[in-house]
């Protein structure tokens, strides 16, 4: 009887089976989590590379040797650092420190070079939304209703372009007027007057041969981009101007295969 009881006594080691199953499932969970982590890292690398390529094609990152050490690796398997997403999409993209430094240096140089014109308020220099803005007031460079620059214009433009000749930035020439309607034998509206003034100034800049032609553009905005009120004589005089805007290069053809990075980003999502 005692031998039969010993033969059918319950085993106290059955918990090992459940424990082994639990350990196996836990191991599988960590394998899956590890696989997801590696897949997400690879995807993040692809996204950052695509965004970085797109911004470089726009000319926003002029320094192609820029590196950050965040411990990630590229999809090629090298140890090259990948730019984090918060840096790619952050303020550094919109206003790189190098661009700010260059434009501040150009501004200081021009304020010294054009100190007489700045003192007489025929030229003003300030940072704008798109870059450094050098405003040539009508009173110092044009007669009323005319698009032909005065004799002082060429020496002033030579001083300005001399400061830009060795920089990588573009120059956009913008013509602006006040809101008084324009109609003469030469111009039917402020659009024609502002555009003619911009193109005349651009032509003089080209004649200095200090900047490549592909870095210069001209546009007329008529009275629709005022910097002062048009309700006073002083405000209207301030609005009658030609702005020289020094800005980073953004010339991009989105129809070319080289600029397909934006499509890569969309495809990944």
């Amino acid at each position: 009887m005692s031998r039969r009881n010993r033969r059918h006594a319950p085993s106290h080691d059955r918990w090992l089976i459940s424990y082994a199953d639990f350990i196996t499932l836990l191991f599988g969970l960590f394998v899956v989590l590890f696989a997801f982590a590696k897949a997400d890292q690879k995807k993040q690398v692809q996204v950052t590379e695509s965004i970085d390529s797109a911004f470089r094609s726009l000319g926003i990152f002029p320094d192609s040797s820029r590196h950050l050490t965040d411990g990630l690796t590229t999809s090629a398997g090298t140890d090259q650092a990948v730019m984090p997403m918060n840096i790619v999409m952050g303020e550094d993209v919109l206003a790189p420190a190098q661009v700010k430094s260059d434009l501040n240096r150009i501004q200081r140089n021009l304020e010294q070079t054009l100190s007489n014109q700045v003192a007489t308020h025929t030229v003003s220099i300030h940072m704008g939304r798109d870059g450094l803005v050098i405003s040539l007031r009508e009173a110092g460079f044009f007669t009323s209703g005319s698009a032909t620059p005065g004799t002082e214009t060429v020496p002033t433009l030579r001083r300005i372009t001399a400061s830009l000749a060795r920089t990588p930035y573009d120059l956009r020439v913008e013509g602006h007027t006040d809101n008084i309607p324009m109609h003469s034998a030469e111009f039917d509206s402020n659009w024609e007057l502002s555009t003619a003034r911009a193109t005349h100034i651009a032509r003089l800049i080209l004649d200095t041969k200090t900047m490549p032609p592909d870095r210069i553009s001209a546009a007329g905005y008529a009275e629709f981009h005022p910097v002062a009120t048009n309700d006073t004589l002083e405000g209207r005089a301030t609005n009658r101007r030609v702005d020289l805007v020094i800005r980073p290069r953004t010339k991009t053809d989105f129809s070319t295969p080289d600029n397909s990075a934006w499509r890569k980003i969309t495809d990944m999502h």
Side-chain angles (χ1 to χ4, degrees), residues 78-208:
T78 65
D79 292 332
Q80 179 183 0
V82 178
M83 191 172 299
M85 292 291 289
N86 62 326
I87 298 297
V88 174
M89 300 301 295
E91 182 183 0
D92 190 52
V93 172
L94 302 178
Q98 184 62 47
V99 174
K100 285 183 178 180
S101 176
D102 288 347
L103 295 184
N104 284 328
R105 176 181 53 79
I106 295 171
Q107 180 178 7
R108 291 191 298 270
N109 183 36
L110 288 174
E111 286 173 345
Q112 293 179 355
T113 304
L114 305 175
S115 57
N116 292 335
Q117 289 91 334
V118 172
T120 58
H121 302 289
T122 56
V123 173
S124 68
I125 306 171
H126 64 277
M127 286 293 177
R129 182 180 59 184
D130 295 333
L132 181 62
V133 180
I134 306 146
S135 287
L136 311 180
R137 301 287 172 77
E138 179 194 64
F141 300 93
F142 299 95
T143 58
S144 180
S146 172
T148 303
T151 57
E152 176 61 23
T153 306
V154 173
T156 300
L157 293 179
R158 286 189 181 277
R159 297 189 191 103
I160 294 172
T161 55
S163 299
L164 306 180
R166 292 183 296 275
T167 69
Y169 302 112
D170 283 350
L171 180 63
R172 186 174 66 206
V173 185
E174 301 177 349
H176 301 272
T177 68
D178 58 24
N179 66 345
I180 303 299
M182 173 68 191
H183 184 74
S184 66
E186 189 175 3
F187 304 109
D188 288 334
S189 70
N190 284 326
W191 286 110
E192 283 84 355
L193 176 60
S194 63
T195 303
R197 286 181 172 179
T199 53
H200 273 78
I201 294 295
R203 178 74 255 179
L204 291 177
I205 293 173
L206 288 171
D207 290 341
T208 64

Side-chain angles (χ1 to χ4, degrees), residues 239-258:
N239 289 330
R240 296 191 297 269
R241 70 200 190 277
V242 172
D243 286 345
L244 309 180
V245 184
I246 305 169
R247 56 201 296 269
R249 307 209 74 178
T250 56
K251 184 173 67 175
T252 303
D253 182 3
F254 286 97
S255 66
T256 62
D258 292 339

Side-chain angles (χ1 to χ4, degrees), residues 212-245:
D214 66 336
R215 290 174 52 195
I216 302 171
S217 60
Y221 294 94
E223 69 268 24
F224 298 104
H225 290 266
V227 293
T229 177
N230 280 305
D231 296 333
T232 64
L233 291 174
E234 183 180 355
R236 289 194 293 271
T238 301
N239 289 330
R240 296 191 297 269
R241 70 200 190 277
V242 172
D243 286 345
L244 309 180
V245 184

Side-chain angles (χ1 to χ4, degrees), residues 64-84:
S64 60
S65 62
R66 182 177 176 180
H67 296 290
L68 293 175
T69 56
D70 63 344
L72 296 177
T73 57
T74 63
S75 57
T78 65
D79 292 332
Q80 179 183 0
V82 178
M83 191 172 299

